[in-house]
């Protein structure tokens, strides 16, 4: 059967008689049979449209479709959404459409065979907008794939190998630093955090150089499983810690999107990778780590491992000459206590940009909210025997003290932005273009931030 998703009544008189779109609230659906076809009508009664609203609607439409032959009649929607240019609205709708079609079923024996949907999109003339949507969605889906992969499959080594494979014959150069080279290359903490696991740690550097500028660095936490280490985690949801590499997945998706769209920028993605487990060879609370720049850190808690490996990445970025460093990580449970599950936290040593990032978050659908970096709290990171402790002595403000730890490694004069996405690595609700599993958070936001930081027209 032919299914038509019809946001506004573009149908014949007869069909229109059946439609009650004016009674349909935003995102609600009505299915009717008419003229031998099945129509899905989407409610679009709404004021103040944003790109995210349209994306959401595209996702809702995709989930309603059950046939493999679809006509999307969107002219009514494009006219109705006055706040956005038609091309922008089309891209947003199709981005939601593609993202909602994502499933992760590699390990299900009875997974339904994914059938290609034959799509007719009306009005015509929006090929570029639709292909941009597909490119954006593919980058997000790569991040989702990486996050959804179980920890026994996505070990640090295999993660690195997968990135090599992913970016073969592209404009992205991949350098894998294997465990035996980590210290030599300056990834001291990554080596320490990863030594408890039979699967050795690694670091991967992705470079996309399409300008003569100094690199802008993206640093992503790539802990492929976080058991807490010797400070072992308890509780039943620990399996979620396979997604403790969500920050690195965001970084991978973002650099892919940047390269696919051929932005004239120079970006380096730095990904320290390790498994954090307890064991006879694991690092211990009270251990001291000496970093590449000489900074010493007392391990107050092995479960605060993310900040330890990110600090390696931040130092490496500065070694490469980066003056703008954006790190992203599933760093603290506390960020969810502070902000709930829709907005990640964004911190910076240049707070004047924070509201711009908040706006870019709303535009991209990867919502962030400005958080303060309260310098005075650094006193909670005092160590008796080293320069700094990785664990705060206060039980309050954990996301802020984690940010302060990272800031400790940023050289004066460099711009640093930190995104704590521990609360958004999974969708905050199962609606619109979100599906079970990982959200793919951060890919589109980082893309927008790179455009902003490098003065590019946003895509
Ligand atoms: N990976 C966790 C943070 C996390 C928590 C991610 C919940 C996703 C969901 C991180 O390494 C961690 O364990 N953080 C600790 C820090 C504490 C020991 C200072 C935390 O948030 O409890
Ligand atoms: Zn941890
Ligand atoms: Zn962690």
């Amino acid at each position: 059967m032919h299914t038509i998703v019809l946001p506004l009544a573009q149908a014949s008189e007869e069909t229109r008689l059946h439609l009650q779109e004016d009674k349909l609230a935003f995102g609600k659906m009505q299915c009717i049979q008419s003229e031998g076809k099945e129509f899905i009508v989407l409610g679009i009664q709404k004021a103040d449209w944003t790109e995210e609203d349209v994306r959401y609607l595209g996702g809702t439409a995709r989930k309603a479709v059950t046939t493999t032959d679809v006509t999307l009649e969107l002219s009514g929607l494009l006219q109705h959404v006055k706040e956005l240019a038609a091309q922008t609205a089309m891209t947003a709708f199709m981005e939601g459409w593609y993202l909602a079609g994502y499933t992760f079923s590699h390990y299900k024996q009875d997974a339904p065979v994914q059938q290609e949907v034959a799509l007719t999109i009306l009005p015509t003339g929006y090929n570029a907008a639709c292909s941009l949507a597909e490119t954006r969605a593919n980058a997000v889906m790569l991040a989702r794939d990486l996050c959804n992969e179980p920890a026994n499959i996505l070990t640090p080594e295999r993660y690195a190998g997968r990135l090599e494979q992913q970016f073969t014959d592209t404009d992205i150069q991949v350098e894998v630093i294997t465990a035996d080279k980590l210290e030599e290359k300056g990834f001291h903490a990554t080596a320490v955090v990863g030594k408890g696991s039979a699967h050795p740690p690694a670091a991967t550097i992705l470079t996309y150089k399409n300008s003569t500028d100094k690199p802008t660095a993206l640093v992503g936490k790539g802990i492929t499983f976080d058991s807490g280490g010797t400070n072992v985690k308890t509780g039943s949801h620990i399996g979620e810690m396979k997604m403790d590499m969500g920050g690195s997945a965001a970084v991978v998706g973002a650099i892919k999107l940047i390269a696919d769209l051929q932005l004239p920028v120079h970006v380096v993605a730095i990904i320290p990778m390790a498994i954090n487990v307890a064991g006879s060879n694991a690092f211990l609370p009270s251990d001291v780590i000496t970093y590449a720049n000489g900074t010493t850190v007392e391990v107050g808690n092995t479960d605060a491992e993310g900040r330890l490996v990110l600090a390696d990445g931040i130092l490496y970025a500065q070694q490469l000459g980066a003056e703008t460093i954006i790190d992203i990580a599933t760093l603290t449970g506390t960020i969810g206590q502070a902000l709930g599950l829709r907005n990640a936290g964004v911190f910076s040593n240049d707070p004047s940009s924070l509201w711009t990032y908040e706006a870019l978050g709303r535009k991209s659908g990867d919502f962030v909210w400005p958080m303060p970096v309260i310098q005075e709290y650094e006193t909670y990171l005092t160590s008796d025997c080293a320069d700094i402790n990785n664990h705060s002595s206060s039980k309050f403000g954990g996301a802020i003290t984690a940010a302060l730890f990272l800031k400790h490694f940023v050289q004066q004069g460099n711009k640093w932005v930190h995104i704590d996405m521990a609360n958004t690595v999974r969708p905050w609700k199962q609606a619109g273009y979100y599906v079970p599993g990982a959200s793919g958070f951060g890919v589109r936001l980082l893309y927008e931030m790179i455009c902003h930081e490098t003065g590019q027209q946003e895509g």
Side-chain angles (χ1 to χ4, degrees):
M1 193 180 291
H2 206 62
T3 303
I4 299 190
V5 178
L6 190 67
L8 267 188
Q10 303 286 312
S12 69
E13 192 72 31
E14 192 208 329
T15 302
R16 254 199 314 265
L17 288 176
H18 294 86
L19 297 178
Q20 295 191 308
E21 106 244 332
D22 57 325
K23 298 212 180 87
L24 273 181
F26 169 74
K28 293 276 180 285
M29 275 177 305
Q30 187 189 350
C31 300
I32 55 162
Q33 308 274 342
S34 180
E35 304 168 55
K37 295 173 184 170
E38 186 182 333
F39 290 82
I40 299 172
V41 188
L42 284 175
I44 56 171
Q45 300 312 312
K46 175 172 197 326
D48 302 328
W49 285 82
T50 64
E51 276 176 64
E52 181 66 359
D53 293 329
V54 183
R55 231 179 255 128
Y56 180 95
L57 207 61
T60 309
R62 177 67 184 86
K63 287 178 183 170
V65 162
T66 51
T67 63
T68 53
D69 185 7
V70 180
T71 300
L72 285 173
E73 167 52 270
L74 300 175
S75 43
L77 175 72
L78 299 184
Q79 282 162 25
H80 185 80
V81 179
K82 296 196 181 57
E83 293 83 351
L84 303 171
Q87 299 285 341
T88 309
M90 181 62 97
T91 299
F93 189 92
M94 292 311 298
E95 187 178 314
W97 173 274
Y98 290 123
L99 286 174
Y102 173 88
T103 54
F104 185 80
S105 44
H106 293 53
Y107 303 104
K108 278 187 189 282
Q109 287 202 76
D110 60 352
V113 185
Q114 274 251 311
Q115 284 182 321
E116 281 287 307
V117 175
L119 256 183
T120 307
I121 300 169
L122 299 173
T124 55
Y126 287 87
N127 286 350
C130 294
S131 96
L132 174 61
E134 202 171 357
T135 304
R136 288 170 60 90
N138 282 341
V140 176
M141 293 192 287
L142 171 60
R144 285 182 180 178
D145 271 343
L146 293 169
C147 289
N148 287 332
E149 210 55 83
N152 61 331
I153 302 297
L154 202 82
T155 60
E157 257 178 340
R158 288 167 79 175
Y159 188 3
R162 188 144 163 188
L163 295 181
E164 280 181 317
Q165 210 174 26
Q166 175 76 36
F167 295 119
T168 310
D169 298 327
T170 70
D171 295 325
I172 295 171
Q173 270 76 56
V174 183
E175 183 197 352
V176 176
I177 302 172
T178 49
D180 53 320
K181 298 268 169 10
L182 279 173
E183 264 144 358
E184 186 186 313
K185 293 279 187 176
F187 286 83
H188 298 228
T190 308
V192 168
V193 169
K195 74 193 171 83
S197 173
H199 300 289
T204 303
I205 317 297
L206 308 173
T207 307
Y208 172 74
K209 188 173 190 315
N210 192 20
S211 95
T212 52
D213 296 342
K214 289 191 170 172
T216 303
L218 297 175
V219 181
K221 173 177 172 182
I223 298 293
T224 61
F225 193 81
D226 179 14
S227 74
T230 307
N231 292 100
V232 67
K233 286 183 187 295
T234 53
S236 53
H237 293 303
I238 193 170
E240 298 199 350
M241 286 303 143
K242 72 172 183 178
M243 293 195 194
D244 210 19
M245 33 55 70
S248 67
V251 157
V252 170
I255 201 165
K256 173 175 161 57
L257 185 54
I258 288 164
D260 285 348
L261 297 178
Q262 291 285 293
L263 281 190
V265 297
H266 183 188
V267 176
V268 182
I270 300 161
I271 306 173
M273 299 165 160
I275 300 180
N276 185 24
V277 285
S280 57
N281 200 36
F283 75 134
L284 300 172
S286 84
D287 283 0
V288 172
I289 301 172
T290 304
Y291 277 79
N293 68 346
T295 301
T296 56
V297 172
E298 178 185 359
V299 177
N301 190 313
T302 60
D303 199 11
E305 85 300 337
R307 65 197 74 180
L308 293 174
V309 304
L310 287 170
D312 275 347
I314 291 170
L315 291 178
Y316 193 83
Q318 293 172 129
Q319 206 64 45
L320 294 178
E323 290 172 353
T324 302
I325 301 142
I326 305 172
D327 80 69
I328 181 162
T330 49
L331 202 63
T332 69
T334 319
I335 196 67
Q337 308 295 326
L339 295 175
L341 300 181
R342 191 186 74 145
N343 290 52
V346 62
F347 305 72
S348 180
N349 61 354
D350 175 12
S352 68
S353 308
L354 288 175
W355 288 107
T356 306
Y357 302 143
E358 191 274 334
L360 294 178
R362 270 185 286 120
K363 176 176 156 65
S364 67
D366 291 337
F367 295 94
V368 285
W369 197 258
M371 291 287 293
V373 182
I374 300 170
Q375 195 59 48
E376 287 74 10
Y377 294 173
E378 208 179 4
T379 166
Y380 299 139
L381 296 175
T382 306
S383 164
D384 292 343
C385 66
D387 298 341
I388 188 169
N389 199 306
N390 79 330
H391 192 224
S392 172
S393 59
S394 167
K395 64 175 182 172
F396 301 107
I400 300 173
T401 45
L404 278 168
F405 180 89
L406 298 174
K407 182 171 173 281
H408 192 84
F409 292 84
V410 178
Q411 281 164 27
Q412 200 85 42
N414 286 345
K415 177 166 177 174
W416 161 77
V417 184
H418 160 58
I419 300 163
D420 190 341
M421 56 166 280
N423 55 341
T424 56
V425 68
R426 286 173 177 277
W428 68 285
K429 61 176 176 181
Q430 287 295 339
Y433 58 83
Y434 287 116
V435 294
S439 60
F441 182 93
V443 172
R444 295 166 299 166
L445 172 67
L446 289 175
Y447 173 80
E448 297 290 345
M449 288 173 72
I450 291 286
C451 288
H452 174 74
E453 295 304 326
T454 58
Q456 298 301 306
Q457 194 80 37
E458 278 135 29

